[in-house]
Amino acid sequence: MKNIPQLPSFLFFVLTGFLTIFIAVRQQHSANEGAGRTSRKDRVTVLQQEDWKIMADTMVENQLRAKGIKDERILSAMRSIPRHVFVPAPLRANAYEDRPLPIGHEQTISQPYMVALMTELLHPEAGDTVLEIGTGSGYQAAVLSRVAAHVFSIELVQPLADSAASRFRQLGYHNITAKSGDGYKGWKEHAPFDAIIITAAPPKIPKELVRQLKEGGKMVVPVGGREEQVLQVIRKRKNKIVVEKNIKVRFVPMRHEKR
Ligand code: SAH
């Protein structure tokens, strides 16, 4: 019986204690926001951004530099581009791995090393205008856009062309112009190009694209059938093709537009 009057005062102390801590935490929280610091939502975004930056950095060091990619402009471009934005949402966690990934419509985003290698072989100068055939996810175009002046990119599959274009807008890559169409025809209005890169494999080097290449210009193209292809680096000299390099590779075929 003696203890009963003590119970309410005990409860009173416990409750006021909790209340004081709660108010203090709330005040600290709003003081942080009031002082212009990041809100919780912003902090989450910043954290995720730091995560992908670390992954992109690791990709560049372990998959590109370690395998012989030397051009610092390309390495820094690939460090700065959020590759996870270019892959379907369920595969985002795999975006920085050294392998191609499916992007729908039976197409793939190329392996980071292949993107770096093809860009290094093409070796665009800062003032160059580049034509890409096979926009796909848009990742290769994004890399080119960081090292060249302007990139024109053509994709046969309309929905892929549309989503790539919206990625370029979202990321502010304004020096890429993309359209849906048949790459075999090139893009006459903007020709001739300093450099042309084809990221699907035609059975032989498309003549019209050689026509749209500047004298002295370079083309990187995987040539061959479904089973065997060679990545050819060619140069246009006095309207003739000089093959500078051949590397064995595997790409999806370059197809003809359905009529
Ligand atoms: N460069 C892309 C990957 C390319 S996959 C990237 O970075 O993600 C090859 C792409 O070439 C596919 O999207 C395919 O639809 C496209 N393609 C095939 N034939 C084509 C053609 N004739 N013209 C334009 N694009 C073509």
Side-chain angles (χ1 to χ4, degrees):
M1 286 304 270
K2 250 188 169 182
N3 285 341
I4 288 171
Q6 285 172 5
L7 195 64
S9 60
F10 172 73
L11 276 177
F12 174 77
F13 278 118
V14 170
L15 281 175
T16 44
F18 271 125
L19 208 60
T20 317
I21 293 167
F22 179 68
I23 291 167
V25 167
R26 289 292 310 161
Q27 274 175 350
Q28 182 63 37
H29 188 74
S30 38
N32 281 348
E33 289 184 3
R37 303 217 187 128
T38 49
S39 68
R40 189 169 169 276
K41 188 166 160 264
D42 287 346
R43 277 201 298 273
V44 170
T45 318
V46 169
L47 198 73
Q48 280 170 350
Q49 197 164 46
E50 278 163 7
D51 278 354
W52 80 254
K53 289 219 159 184
I54 292 166
M55 289 198 270
D57 222 39
T58 312
M59 173 189 90
V60 164
E61 294 310 317
N62 297 355
Q63 301 168 31
L64 311 183
R65 201 192 294 278
K67 288 189 189 162
I69 303 296
K70 291 193 178 69
D71 191 331
E72 289 297 335
R73 296 175 316 149
I74 298 169
L75 295 172
S76 105
M78 291 181 71
R79 210 179 279 123
S80 77
I81 298 168
R83 192 172 150 91
H84 60 278
V85 173
F86 293 82
V87 307
L91 295 174
R92 287 203 164 165
N94 311 98
Y96 297 90
E97 291 171 9
D98 194 19
R99 59 180 170 119
L101 292 169
I103 54 170
H105 306 271
E106 295 166 33
Q107 305 305 325
T108 54
I109 174 174
S110 311
Q111 173 194 8
Y113 173 72
M114 190 49 67
V115 173
L117 178 67
M118 288 177 79
T119 314
E120 197 166 67
L121 291 169
L122 194 68
H123 197 71
E125 302 290 339
D128 280 0
T129 298
V130 181
L131 173 68
E132 181 199 24
I133 308 299
T135 320
S137 69
Y139 183 72
Q140 172 74 74
V143 173
L144 288 165
S145 78
R146 306 297 89 193
V147 297
H150 202 101
V151 181
F152 291 93
S153 189
I154 307 174
E155 168 56 52
L156 192 62
V157 181
Q158 176 96 51
L160 289 177
D162 293 345
S163 43
S166 83
R167 279 181 195 117
F168 302 146
R169 275 195 300 277
Q170 177 198 339
L171 295 167
Y173 298 158
H174 301 301
N175 62 339
I176 309 175
T177 311
K179 74 164 181 183
S180 158
D182 184 359
Y184 280 105
K185 295 179 185 151
W187 203 332
K188 271 200 188 117
E189 299 90 314
H190 301 289
F193 301 97
D194 297 295
I196 299 180
I197 184 168
I198 307 186
T199 63
K204 41 188 200 255
I205 297 171
K207 283 215 175 77
E208 179 54 30
L209 296 180
V210 176
R211 239 172 258 137
Q212 295 186 16
L213 187 62
K214 263 186 197 164
E215 169 63 23
K218 224 177 187 189
M219 187 189 293
V220 173
V221 49
V223 185
R226 253 179 204 278
E227 293 308 315
E228 250 199 31
Q229 302 153 4
V230 278
L231 187 63
Q232 297 202 314
V233 182
I234 65 167
R235 195 155 313 252
K236 185 171 167 181
R237 293 229 184 271
K238 296 188 187 123
N239 276 322
K240 286 221 169 74
I241 288 168
V242 182
V243 179
E244 296 187 342
K245 240 181 214 146
N246 281 313
I247 303 164
K248 265 191 126 175
V249 282
R250 230 177 142 173
F251 277 80
V252 296
M254 181 164 168
R255 292 163 298 125
H256 281 279
E257 205 168 21
K258 289 192 190 95
R259 279 164 228 276

